[in-house]
Amino acid sequence: MESLPKKRTLNTTVYTLEEVESGLITACTSFNASLFLPFLKSAVVKTKMPNKMRFYSFFKLMLYCTKQSSVGPLRVKKGKGFFLDGKGAYSLQFYDSIHKYSRLNIEIQETENAIFIETLPF
């Protein structure tokens, strides 16, 4: 008996922008990208990647590399955005216990009904 292909659908759960940010921070500080997947599938989350699964694959790789290059747990600091500018733009910078520079940077821009998330590749 053949199994039917799985149909991919977006998550219909509506999250607030604060919940999305909190889920992103939790995923990054625990080095577990799958914790952010339900939030990423939400309609309020946008990215410049071709699709959300490509963003997820890249995000997962970034967390793996961050885990390999970090010492101890990560702590987050909000700062001014590097590439995204305008109203509601900021960056989440994740630092470990010994390095001077952040181990992971994520750019965020919030609008009234969406949150744009971009990762910095360095």
Side-chain angles (χ1 to χ4, degrees):
M1 177 183 248
E2 292 183 36
S3 63
L4 296 173
K6 292 182 179 179
K7 184 177 180 183
R8 293 184 180 186
T9 58
L10 287 178
N11 188 353
T12 57
T13 305
V14 177
Y15 295 103
T16 66
L17 302 180
E18 291 81 19
E19 289 173 327
V20 172
E21 181 184 319
S22 177
L24 180 63
I25 291 171
T26 301
C28 292
T29 56
S30 64
F31 303 109
N32 187 352
S34 64
L35 295 176
F36 185 62
L37 195 54
F39 299 99
L40 181 61
K41 290 181 178 181
S42 174
V44 297
V45 176
K46 309 287 184 201
T47 181
K48 288 184 181 177
M49 288 277 195
N51 59 49
K52 290 184 178 184
M53 290 315 292
R54 282 228 181 128
F55 174 87
Y56 177 73
S57 296
F58 185 70
F59 179 62
K60 189 174 175 180
L61 177 66
M62 292 295 291
L63 286 182
Y64 174 79
C65 294
T66 301
K67 183 176 183 178
Q68 298 304 312
S69 68
S70 297
V71 177
L74 293 181
R75 65 186 189 285
V76 66
K77 177 181 157 188
K78 278 189 181 181
K80 182 181 176 191
F82 297 103
F83 295 106
L84 295 177
D85 56 353
K87 187 175 181 180
Y90 60 93
S91 75
L92 294 175
Q93 302 160 4
F94 294 89
Y95 293 88
D96 68 357
S97 59
I98 65 166
H99 290 96
K100 179 179 178 180
Y101 298 105
S102 62
R103 302 286 91 200
L104 178 66
N105 290 319
I106 298 178
E107 297 275 321
I108 296 177
Q109 185 167 15
E110 294 181 359
T111 62
E112 290 180 17
N113 54 0
I115 183 168
F116 294 90
I117 301 174
E118 295 300 324
T119 56
L120 299 181
F122 48 85

